[in-house]
Amino acid sequence: MMHTLPAPADLTTALPLSTATARAVAEHRDTVAAVLDGRDPRLLVIAGPCSVHDPAAALEYASLLAAAARRYSDDLVVVLRAYLEKPRTALGWTGLLNYPALDGKSDLASGLRTGRAFLTEAAALGLPLAYEFVDPLLAPYLADTVSWAAIGARTVASQPHRHLASWLPMPVGMKNCVSGDLASAVDAVQVASHPHALPVLAPDGRLTVTHTVGNSHAHLVLRGGRVPNYDAAGTEHARSRLAAAGLPPSLVVDASHGNSGKDHNRQPEVVADLAGRIGDGEPGLAGVMIESYLSDGRQDLAATVLRRDVSVTDACLGWSRTLPLLDLLARAVNRRRGTHA
């Protein structure tokens, strides 16, 4: 059975970014790049749900995060984790784009409309958006809304994803693979920094060959593996691997996934450890990721009563436990600035 999707231009015309928001997205990309380069002394903090399942509730979370971003803007560049595709090791819900009705029935055309509507509304709040690109063919429908992109642990060794990263017009974080090994991610950073030719959907929906210029702000994201790698030994090892490859030492560290043992309750201790080292001036710590949502924990998608405020994928920290972590990280950056003044 085949279904026709709209061309990217049809969707972006129907659900456009305003001129002001498009300008803000471009500025956010430059700001994130400056943080990664060390030209901006602030810390990148990427916070939000594992994956969006209720756009209205996610916008409620985004409003809270936007207010906090303004409060801590002297020390933090806060980015909303606005993921609509969910990579899977085995079977499971693959995200709002593919299954927008949460009923097990795929409807990508509807999901693209729902997803883009959410992203344009979230971007209009003034927050930079983070997005993990899982299916490279879908990137042209959404990329104009995104200020920081991720290539995930399950796709970081994929040549199409590495070439996609070389095309994406924003900084792209390469996560270490699920086992924790860094080799694939370091290779991905290097590959993405070079020009490539890749097939991309043109605005009119035709498949075209695009020649990229390379992404000068591809970087490494530490998400742990069989053992955590957020600690000082893990980050030092990562910097040495990047240096050996002739790459900049910028790191974003994920407080969730393998670094928390997939226990959301351990994210605060990971963040606290990172905050202490940030305040002490450890080099290369450019950003921190936190899986966070309105309420604590997770729920099964098959629950009799599905809550709008609780993740349906990875367990997240609730907002009341997230805000103190933003304050802790802001104070750490302020201390680092004083140490190096």
Side-chain angles (χ1 to χ4, degrees), residues 131-224:
Y131 190 89
E132 180 178 341
F133 289 96
V134 177
D135 189 327
L137 277 178
L138 301 182
Y141 291 94
L142 309 171
D144 62 315
T145 70
V146 177
S147 298
W148 183 87
I151 302 298
R154 293 165 183 81
T155 52
V156 73
S158 157
Q159 179 172 291
H161 288 83
R162 293 171 173 188
H163 289 186
L164 173 69
S166 78
W167 172 77
L168 288 170
M170 75 285 291
V172 179
M174 304 293 192
K175 284 199 167 187
N176 66 251
C177 69
V178 174
S179 70
D181 184 69
L182 302 186
S184 293
V186 172
D187 288 345
V189 173
Q190 196 159 50
V191 171
S193 69
H194 286 76
H196 299 282
L198 75 155
V200 174
L201 280 184
D204 65 3
R206 291 183 298 170
L207 195 61
T208 60
V209 175
T210 297
H211 294 270
T212 74
V213 298
N215 193 319
S216 61
H217 288 96
H219 55 281
L220 183 60
V221 179
L222 299 180
R223 50 88 74 197

Side-chain angles (χ1 to χ4, degrees), residues 49-88:
C50 173
S51 56
V52 172
H53 76 281
D54 184 312
L59 286 171
E60 181 182 332
Y61 175 91
S63 295
L64 294 170
L65 192 67
R70 291 189 291 270
R71 184 185 318 169
Y72 295 115
S73 62
D74 287 346
D75 299 301
L76 307 179
V77 175
V78 178
V79 180
L80 172 67
R81 184 182 163 110
Y83 290 14
L84 306 177
E85 299 175 74
K86 175 66 179 173
R88 290 290 186 179

Side-chain angles (χ1 to χ4, degrees), residues 72-137:
Y72 295 115
S73 62
D74 287 346
D75 299 301
L76 307 179
V77 175
V78 178
V79 180
L80 172 67
R81 184 182 163 110
Y83 290 14
L84 306 177
E85 299 175 74
K86 175 66 179 173
R88 290 290 186 179
T89 300
L91 294 174
W93 183 67
T94 56
L96 194 73
L97 287 196
N98 283 304
Y99 296 95
L102 309 180
D103 60 359
K105 297 178 182 177
S106 176
D107 187 351
L108 184 56
S110 176
L112 284 168
R113 289 191 297 272
T114 299
R116 183 169 175 88
F118 164 74
L119 293 173
T120 55
E121 289 185 62
L125 294 173
L127 282 170
L129 304 186
Y131 190 89
E132 180 178 341
F133 289 96
V134 177
D135 189 327
L137 277 178

